[in-house]
Amino acid sequence: MGAEAIHKPALDQFSVQPIIGDYEETCKDFDWETAKDALDWFERDQSINIAHNCIDRHANGKLADKVGLHWIGGDGSEKIYTFKQLKEETNRCANLLKQIGIAKGDRVFLFLNRIPELYIGTMAILKVGAVAGPLFSAFGPDAIKDRLEDSGAVAIFTEASLKSRLEDVRSELPDLKHVILCGEHDAPDAAKGEVSYNEITAAASPEFEVERTSIDDYSIMHYTSGTTGKPKGAVHRHNSIISQKSTAQFALDLQDNDIYWCTADPGWVTGTSYGMIGPWSNGITQLVYAGGFDPDTWYGIIEKHQVTVWYTAPTAIRMLMKAGDEVPKKYDMTCLRHICSVGEPLNPEAIVWGKPIFNQAIHDNWWQTETGCIMIANYPPMEVRPGSMGRPIPGIQPGIIDDEGNEMPPGQEGNLAVRPGWPSMFQTYWNKQSMYDSRFQNGWYLTGDRAYKDEDGYYWFIGRSDDVINTAGHLVGPFEVESALVEHPAVAEAGVIGKPDKERMEIVKAFVALKDGHETSDELKEEIRLFVRNRLAAHAYPREIQFVDSLPKTRSGKIMRRLLKARDQGLPEGDTSTLEEF
Ligand code: PRX
């Protein structure tokens, strides 16, 4: 998608104001040491624990009786936890983990819907010094297996409605010793390492000695998709809380009395960095809604619970837009003070649409799983430039560079890069150190995005520099989908691309060549679609399939996705000198 297409149509509908003083002042005075001092360090020996700072610090102080988590179920039921209650619950859960033998550094995953145990479990894992790996509940058996196998996870939290997907691949996961069953479930099978969360935590002590993790001890890992190979586990460390706490103030503008709602699932980085750590490290009350998307329900939640700060995604905003202007008119949303969005380009039309509905502009911001925190934002005191991701967060030094690492002048498109060293920078790709190292060149961290900077230092997104697909804010690696496709008995080979889509930014499109003896048909298309959906994930299956006789490949046999994309969109095919056949 070109930058022009993103920002041009609506620019004239906004008066672009000069940046007001606060931004420059804040940047000038900012240093990470000051941000660090706002947290609770165990001793003056660099030891810090995210869960202690998110929960216990408040439970032990003035905020003990303040609501930390206001949970709303898909059926409208509600549960409320004060910071004191969160401390006790996370302690009970941490004692459960100790009881089954979880030790510092162990990888413990969570395959749960957005139930309270997902939030409590993540904090408990951090309290014992283990590494938390939240999985998106839409994942199918293949996606679960890839992640648990690669990380060598020893334990997993799950629940009755999701368990069968884990069971499908359990025999291929020798490292996985323990399954912690949350909610209502059948009798645990001890031979399979199953234990009951409710049973054990009911008897567990509400006291727990939090592990004194160092700044470099690993905290959370999220798998993220690249162009080639399976998803890679981006690993974060306890030090990351410094960035998450300060950016939750700078970009999300979180203030003491806020009611904050982040719509992201903790299976993705937004749901942990800003669906847990950012708000809680600031002692903020946060709302979690466990149900799915529905315009009336969403607007209703804002009104009923008096949400003041809302962090959501462009696809959700486009879907609200699609539902029409009559729906929001039924709700009083004057409580909203600040709205942010992340994950995909936020088109100016969405900002223009949202302004009268929410009485303010939606603030786009940019970051990645690897960065761990917001890096570029339409920072609250600045006027939003529709279509721009905003300006760098204090302490963050991005740049637009050419392939040799030279900075490009304003207005010129290049690679979006960031000077390494911010506290929440990822520490490794699990088991793939060389891939991690390859992301750092000439003193820059390479983000994989293309962008440009304007004269005033605002950054404008242009697109990815690789084949990774961004569908509704979720990154999908074409290789993963191709691998799932060729497991279908009728599929000989497959090439997968992102196809532009008005609502989801891109959809996954697959070009499929069948094995001899199989006929193309709509039924087969549907069967293949479902096959991938069930094995991989509900968000990653090809919504569109096109049968082809064969795929364009390089002489070394690599599928030329670039060419598939160009042909699909009627764009110039570029250099085809390495093309072998179609
Ligand atoms: O391509 C950029 C896009 O999402 C990628 C990061 O995805 P992920 O690691 O899943 O993290 C998503 C949530 C932090 C980026 O490399 N992206 C993210 N924010 C924006 C964006 N593209 C355009 N505009 C944004 N604001």
Side-chain angles (χ1 to χ4, degrees):
M1 191 185 292
E4 292 282 296
I6 296 171
H7 71 83
K8 222 175 172 179
L11 258 184
D12 58 347
Q13 299 186 37
F14 279 74
S15 57
V16 178
Q17 304 289 321
I19 297 143
I20 58 172
D22 301 31
Y23 176 76
E24 263 81 18
E25 282 303 307
T26 314
C27 286
K28 190 161 61 58
D29 296 340
F30 183 81
D31 70 273
W32 291 116
E33 284 304 309
T34 318
K36 198 174 145 182
D37 285 344
L39 289 154
D40 213 1
W41 297 78
F42 286 126
E43 298 104 27
R44 282 280 136 209
D45 69 348
Q46 298 284 293
S47 103
I48 190 166
N49 183 291
I50 290 177
H52 169 79
N53 273 282
C54 285
I55 309 291
D56 296 12
R57 187 164 62 102
H58 309 306
N60 300 341
K62 288 202 294 277
L63 302 185
D65 295 321
K66 180 174 176 178
V67 175
L69 173 63
H70 186 144
W71 179 87
I72 307 159
D75 60 358
S77 58
E78 294 183 28
K79 285 185 188 165
I80 287 174
Y81 298 83
T82 61
F83 280 107
K84 183 163 171 274
Q85 288 166 328
L86 282 174
K87 177 182 174 185
E88 290 172 0
E89 287 301 317
T90 52
N91 281 353
R92 287 196 178 92
C93 182
N95 280 315
L96 176 160
L97 293 171
K98 280 274 176 187
Q99 195 177 318
I100 61 172
I102 302 303
K104 186 174 171 189
D106 283 345
R107 275 77 60 214
V108 178
F109 276 57
L110 306 106
F111 183 45
L112 294 169
N113 290 300
R114 284 188 299 279
I115 57 175
E117 288 86 341
L118 173 54
Y119 298 81
I120 291 164
T122 303
M123 289 294 132
I125 294 167
L126 298 176
K127 280 190 166 184
V128 301
V131 184
L135 295 175
F136 190 36
S137 56
F139 281 151
D142 284 6
I144 299 166
K145 193 196 106 191
D146 287 345
R147 288 156 176 83
L148 296 181
E149 191 176 37
D150 182 66
S151 62
V154 298
I156 188 164
F157 290 71
T158 192
E159 59 184 303
S161 62
L162 302 174
K163 198 179 124 193
S164 66
R165 287 187 241 160
L166 173 67
E167 300 225 303
D168 282 355
V169 290
R170 181 78 200 269
S171 62
E172 298 167 68
L173 298 166
D175 293 328
L176 188 68
K177 303 283 187 305
H178 312 282
V179 177
I180 303 155
L181 297 173
C182 302
E184 300 287 316
H185 54 75
D186 295 337
D189 183 345
K192 290 184 182 165
E194 291 177 0
V195 295
S196 167
Y197 178 95
N198 285 340
E199 227 171 272
I200 301 189
T201 54
S205 163
E207 303 294 327
F208 185 79
E209 177 94 18
V210 175
E211 182 72 34
R212 274 144 166 73
T213 36
S214 83
I215 56 167
D216 292 323
D217 282 332
Y218 293 161
S219 53
I220 292 183
M221 63 194 294
H222 282 286
Y223 276 80
T224 179
S225 298
T227 305
T228 53
K230 300 277 184 177
K232 309 166 294 288
V235 185
H236 289 283
R237 57 178 178 155
H238 281 267
N239 202 46
S240 67
I241 190 173
I242 298 173
S243 306
Q244 288 141 357
K245 181 175 187 299
S246 54
T247 50
Q249 293 170 316
F250 288 137
L252 305 179
D253 197 29
L254 290 181
Q255 296 170 19
D256 288 350
N257 295 324
D258 276 323
I259 304 290
Y260 166 70
W261 181 26
C262 170
T263 59
D265 188 280
W268 310 108
V269 72
T270 311
T272 52
S273 288
Y274 298 101
M276 297 184 196
I277 307 172
W280 281 343
S281 60
N282 285 297
I284 301 295
T285 300
Q286 77 153 328
L287 212 73
V288 166
Y289 174 55
F293 176 81
D294 171 67
D296 269 298
T297 313
W298 277 37
Y299 292 133
I301 286 174
I302 292 171
E303 179 188 60
K304 179 172 175 202
H305 299 284
Q306 293 289 292
V307 174
T308 54
V309 179
W310 185 33
Y311 196 17
T312 190
T315 293
I317 293 163
R318 288 192 289 269
M319 283 160 74
L320 290 174
M321 252 171 102
K322 199 175 152 198
D325 291 359
E326 292 310 308
V327 192
K329 281 189 190 144
K330 293 189 270 173
Y331 302 90
D332 177 358
M333 292 186 280
T334 47
C335 49
L336 278 171
R337 193 189 82 242
H338 189 50
I339 310 176
C340 297
S341 122
V342 71
E344 321 148 56
L346 178 65
N347 35 328
E349 297 83 346
I351 301 178
V352 172
W353 168 81
K355 221 170 174 192
I357 306 270
F358 303 115
N359 212 17
Q360 64 200 288
I362 301 165
H363 292 64
D364 188 19
N365 55 57
W366 176 94
W367 58 294
Q368 304 180 302
T369 304
E370 287 86 345
T371 70
C373 77
I374 299 170
M375 309 296 272
I376 296 174
N378 284 282
Y379 189 70
M382 307 178 332
E383 192 67 19
V384 167
R385 288 197 178 177
S388 165
M389 309 187 287
R391 298 183 76 193
I393 286 285
I396 303 295
Q397 290 174 272
I400 302 293
I401 59 169
D402 64 18
D403 291 342
E404 276 70 53
N406 305 308
E407 277 201 70
M408 323 262 300
Q412 281 193 31
E413 173 185 335
N415 302 305
L416 176 59
V418 187
R419 290 282 184 209
W422 66 98
S424 67
M425 189 176 88
F426 71 133
Q427 297 299 291
T428 190
Y429 285 128
W430 193 263
N431 283 335
K432 294 183 180 64
Q433 185 62 29
S434 59
M435 193 172 270
Y436 176 80
D437 294 339
S438 72
R439 299 293 296 266
F440 297 86
Q441 276 166 31
N442 304 313
W444 292 98
Y445 160 67
L446 305 178
T447 70
D449 283 350
R450 306 274 299 166
Y452 73 90
K453 184 167 82 166
D454 67 21
E455 294 285 348
D456 299 318
Y458 280 77
Y459 283 75
W460 301 76
F461 182 80
I462 291 186
R464 296 280 309 180
S465 59
D466 56 22
D467 291 335
V468 173
I469 300 161
N470 188 333
T471 178
H474 299 137
L475 298 191
V476 174
F479 178 80
E480 277 175 88
V481 187
E482 288 161 3
S483 306
L485 281 163
V486 294
E487 281 181 44
H488 187 280
V491 176
E493 53 182 15
V496 166
I497 61 161
K499 178 174 174 158
D501 181 77
K502 248 187 117 198
E503 212 165 279
R504 298 173 172 266
M505 175 158 160
E506 289 185 311
I507 55 160
V508 177
K509 172 165 183 178
F511 294 84
V512 169
L514 296 178
K515 285 182 185 156
D516 287 347
H518 292 275
E519 292 294 321
T520 61
S521 69
D522 286 345
E523 291 72 37
L524 183 57
K525 265 188 198 170
E526 187 55 19
E527 185 187 312
I528 296 172
R529 260 202 299 268
L530 277 179
F531 178 84
V532 178
R533 190 187 159 105
N534 292 338
R535 296 188 76 92
L536 201 59
H539 69 280
Y541 76 101
R543 283 173 186 262
E544 201 174 312
I545 290 182
Q546 183 176 331
F547 290 124
V548 289
D549 293 334
S550 64
L551 293 162
K553 290 191 218 70
T554 61
R555 281 185 204 115
S556 58
K558 243 177 91 185
I559 292 166
M560 294 179 83
R561 299 191 190 107
R562 176 180 60 77
L563 205 59
L564 284 173
K565 207 166 180 165
R567 288 179 181 169
D568 191 57
Q569 290 165 32
L571 299 170
E573 296 193 0
D575 179 10
T576 52
S577 57
T578 58
L579 178 66
E580 184 70 346
E581 60 176 32
F582 189 66

